[in-house]
Amino acid sequence: MKKLLLFVLTGCLFSAFVCAQDPKDTEDWSKKPAIVTPGCKHTPPSDAIILFGKAKDLSNWASRSGEAKWKTGYKKMTVNGTGDILTKEKFGDCQLHVEFRTPSKVAGDGQGRGNSGIYIQTHYEVQVLDSYINETYYNGQAGAIYKQSPPLVNTSLKPGKWQVYDIVFHSPKFAADGSVTHPATVTVFHNGVLIQDHYVLKGPTTYAGVPKYSQHGDMPLLLQDHGNPVSYRNVWIRKL
Ligand code: MG
């Protein structure tokens, strides 16, 4: 019995000696992360591209046919029936921060109430809607990937309150022949709550029919004019 115990003990000590590894072996010193100063309250992080900030400045935006003509006011811009607006710069993988406000005066219902949209890469809509006690199809309510994925929860604030989307988007990747090698993915936080968890998009947003990818590179961010006076502020993006 003593011999057996000694044998086991010796074996354990030997194993511990042979298997012991230097903790430094698993330290990664190969790539130093860049230093980014985080935002504070309503300010963006230091490496963000500010698409719409404090000024009444639409110079980063265009309409489909020329100049962007949304109404600008103190720290905000508002849909006014002049059509969608698009960023002049094109983007790929990104982190996007958008604050929006649906009208305090409730008018219409369903899809007709506070409707706008954030079309990432011009093609992929994160729905903006007044979804505070407002029934519509679930994959068309606020925070839905329109007609594809309902939000995990409805965390909409009352009409007239400023709300926030924080979005992480990875653009689709295509082979030379145009076939999809990696579909687009999107993660969305609505007012700090996770509502889309790395959703894999079926293709571009379509109002009717089945989404189908077509090859594209970096594309502008588009904000939708759906005829309702939705306001936006503090729109910034980080390239990933
Ligand atoms: Mg919309």
Side-chain angles (χ1 to χ4, degrees), residues 45-209:
S46 58
D47 63 345
I49 298 167
I50 298 165
L51 298 173
F52 186 82
K54 290 177 180 175
K56 299 175 182 179
D57 180 12
L58 290 177
S59 60
N60 292 321
W61 301 84
S63 71
R64 289 184 183 273
S65 56
E67 229 177 294
K69 291 177 179 169
W70 282 16
K71 185 181 170 189
T72 56
Y74 181 66
K75 296 185 181 180
K76 67 174 189 263
M77 58 178 170
T78 304
V79 174
N80 62 353
T82 55
D84 305 331
I85 60 171
L86 303 92
T87 56
K88 291 176 182 171
E89 189 170 350
K90 297 175 178 177
F91 299 100
D93 301 344
C94 64
Q95 175 188 349
L96 175 64
H97 175 95
V98 178
E99 299 179 21
F100 66 94
R101 186 179 70 181
T102 62
S104 54
K105 186 180 176 186
V106 173
D109 58 9
Q111 291 291 307
R113 190 165 130 187
N115 195 335
S116 183
I118 296 155
Y119 277 74
I120 305 164
Q121 292 199 314
T122 315
H123 289 310
Y124 311 101
E125 185 184 19
V126 179
Q127 174 71 304
V128 170
L129 196 76
D130 175 0
S131 285
Y132 187 84
I133 314 178
N134 179 31
E135 286 294 302
T136 186
Y137 41 94
Y138 304 128
N139 60 359
Q141 70 180 65
I145 307 307
Y146 187 74
K147 288 279 180 88
Q148 294 192 36
S149 174
L152 295 169
V153 293
N154 181 353
T155 185
S156 296
L157 300 179
K158 288 181 177 177
K161 298 281 185 190
W162 282 103
Q163 307 192 55
V164 185
Y165 284 155
D166 284 292
I167 299 168
V168 178
F169 177 81
H170 287 274
S171 59
K173 309 295 184 291
F174 300 91
D177 65 0
S179 58
V180 179
T181 56
H182 294 88
T185 61
V186 67
T187 296
V188 182
F189 291 85
H190 184 185
N191 300 325
V193 179
L194 181 68
I195 59 163
Q196 298 286 349
D197 186 6
H198 199 70
Y199 176 70
V200 180
L201 282 99
K202 295 169 185 161
T205 298
T206 51
Y207 181 53

